[in-house]
Amino acid sequence: QVRLVESGGASVQPGGSLRLSCSTSGFIFSDYAMSWVRQAPGKEREFVATIPGDAGGRTGYQPFVKDRFTISRDDAKNTVYLQMNELKPEDTAAYYCNVNLMASGDDKWRDYWGQGTQVTVSS
């Protein structure tokens, strides 16, 4: 069973930093690209960053977080991280990690999500 569990969200002041974590299980973590997506109140989910798995690809960021956020992964811990620096009020959102894969016993590629972790940036 594919499982994603985010943690690390908090309330911080503008300019502050947070490190989000997403612990995973139920699939071969190193094989797959992992992404972070966020959703602000009243808005649709938006892509934040992605990091490739062993299959290759490129690390990528949305322009609004580039040079402030860093995505990384620890394949030994089956965990993906999002280091967020210079946080702004507009970064306030629920942050979700995401993987797209075909799970064991399934016949389709699907998106899997965690429950999300809330980041609030306010003075």
Side-chain angles (χ1 to χ4, degrees):
Q1 182 180 1
V2 176
R3 189 164 184 243
L4 309 174
V5 180
E6 302 95 337
S7 61
S11 293
V12 297
Q13 293 188 340
S17 297
L18 284 174
R19 187 194 196 204
L20 306 184
S21 300
C22 174
S23 299
T24 74
S25 60
F27 63 101
I28 302 174
F29 179 77
S30 59
D31 282 356
Y32 296 97
M34 298 295 300
S35 299
W36 284 95
V37 176
R38 70 185 186 186
Q39 186 169 21
K43 296 186 177 181
E44 294 187 354
R45 285 188 181 184
E46 60 181 359
F47 165 81
V48 175
T50 191
I51 187 166
D54 286 348
R58 298 176 65 180
T59 298
Y61 300 90
Q62 277 285 24
F64 55 73
V65 301
K66 197 172 181 182
D67 297 330
R68 296 190 298 125
F69 292 9
T70 303
I71 189 171
S72 62
R73 63 190 297 156
D74 185 335
D75 289 348
K77 295 182 178 180
N78 296 336
T79 300
V80 60
Y81 304 97
L82 186 67
Q83 177 67 43
M84 306 188 295
N85 299 327
E86 301 176 32
L87 283 161
K88 304 176 181 180
E90 51 263 44
D91 295 319
T92 295
Y95 284 72
Y96 302 87
C97 63
N98 163 259
V99 64
N100 182 263
L101 56 83
M102 185 184 299
S104 177
D106 202 346
D107 62 353
K108 294 181 180 179
W109 287 77
R110 303 180 192 275
D111 278 314
Y112 290 86
W113 306 88
Q115 84 290 348
T117 187
Q118 180 66 36
V119 172
T120 302
V121 185
S122 174
S123 55

